[in-house]
Amino acid sequence: MVIRGETNIIKVYDLTPLVNVEEYDLYDSKELERFQDTVASYIDSGEAEALSFETELIGTVPENTEIEIGEDTYFFEDVEYINKSVDNLIADNLNEGDVVCLLQASGDGYFEYEQDPDINELRIGYTACDIDTPEEPVYDFFCDLLLPDLVKVKDEKLEVIAKNFYPKDTMIAEVYIVKSKEGSKYLERVCEIDVLHFGWDLFEDIIQVDYDEPIA
């Protein structure tokens, strides 16, 4: 089986041990620039630790996703979903007060599995967002996506044996702080980071990045 389609990726860097946001006056342009340069240097040097999430933050846009099983091609409406709450992903992997940099990229994704399952037994992860989700760019980027790393037949998880990413647009880096309100954690945007000196190799620990045409 192969899943392919328009793909969004988020890589999460933990800046908490390295950066104290309170030391910067982010309303001052020079202080903001100093903060942005500091964050960029930690990522570029490899000092910022990339967090490991229970589910990889790689998702395909349902309307542009094809599921190939043998000679047949299916679409998102043909499969059952495993709902994964984005709020729960944040709550389970991040603590209130954490400072994270989210490196985001869009392109074409290719995900290959060893088995060719029955479409009627196939379930694929899906990032569900609450209707009161904060109006932050990252939620728009990662809500309502299929999760190729969370694919099950009945209760058995299928492992991805090959996954490739073909970047289409420039990457975006944004810094967020984990906030809490009435017991629920959420992300609040601080600023964007200049990615001029970043390379696509930053994603290669979670997916193979290619620059040719997507696999036919």
Side-chain angles (χ1 to χ4, degrees):
M1 179 177 73
V2 168
I3 295 176
R4 68 172 82 234
E6 181 182 346
T7 299
N8 292 351
I9 299 177
I10 297 178
K11 185 171 179 178
V12 186
Y13 288 96
D14 182 11
L15 302 175
T16 311
L18 303 171
V19 177
N20 182 359
V21 177
E22 301 300 324
E23 294 179 354
Y24 299 83
D25 179 4
L26 299 179
Y27 294 100
D28 179 274
S29 60
K30 290 186 178 179
E31 282 286 284
L32 176 60
E33 184 177 355
R34 184 168 71 90
F35 175 78
Q36 292 167 321
D37 289 344
T38 299
V39 171
S41 68
Y42 281 133
I43 294 175
D44 194 40
S45 68
E47 289 182 73
E49 178 186 2
L51 292 178
S52 177
F53 275 65
E54 176 188 351
T55 300
E56 293 282 14
L57 300 184
I58 300 173
T60 65
V61 177
E63 294 80 3
N64 299 321
T65 297
E66 294 182 352
I67 303 164
E68 300 172 5
I69 301 176
E71 300 297 321
D72 299 315
T73 300
Y74 301 93
F75 302 95
F76 75 97
E77 62 265 27
D78 297 317
V79 299
E80 183 180 347
Y81 295 158
I82 305 169
N83 283 331
K84 292 290 290 186
S85 167
V86 172
D87 290 338
N88 287 346
L89 282 174
I90 295 170
D92 293 343
N93 292 279
L94 298 173
N95 298 312
E96 182 180 0
D98 280 355
V99 181
V100 294
C101 182
L102 306 183
L103 193 62
Q104 308 162 45
S106 297
D108 291 315
Y110 172 93
F111 308 88
E112 185 177 344
Y113 307 81
E114 192 168 3
Q115 300 180 33
D116 279 339
D118 184 330
I119 189 65
N120 297 310
E121 298 179 343
L122 187 66
R123 297 191 300 146
I124 300 178
Y126 175 81
T127 54
C129 284
D130 295 335
I131 58 172
D132 57 352
T133 291
E135 294 182 2
E136 298 285 12
V138 69
Y139 289 95
D140 291 335
F141 189 79
F142 201 63
C143 286
D144 304 319
L145 297 180
L146 298 178
L147 300 173
D149 285 301
L150 182 59
V151 176
K152 291 185 177 182
V153 174
K154 297 180 180 178
D155 290 325
E156 179 184 354
K157 183 178 178 181
L158 299 188
E159 297 299 328
V160 182
I161 59 173
K163 53 184 175 182
N164 301 72
F165 178 67
Y166 305 85
K168 289 193 303 186
D169 302 313
T170 57
M171 67 183 78
I172 296 172
E174 297 176 314
V175 176
Y176 286 83
I177 296 178
V178 181
K179 300 281 190 174
S180 180
K181 182 178 181 180
E182 298 177 355
S184 297
K185 298 175 190 173
Y186 63 95
L187 296 174
E188 182 175 277
R189 186 178 184 272
V190 176
C191 65
E192 188 170 334
I193 302 299
D194 187 353
V195 297
L196 179 63
H197 302 296
F198 292 177
W200 291 106
D201 58 305
L202 289 174
F203 289 99
E204 289 191 340
D205 60 330
I206 58 176
I207 195 168
Q208 175 65 44
V209 179
D210 292 304
Y211 306 97
D212 299 324
E213 290 297 317
I215 298 173

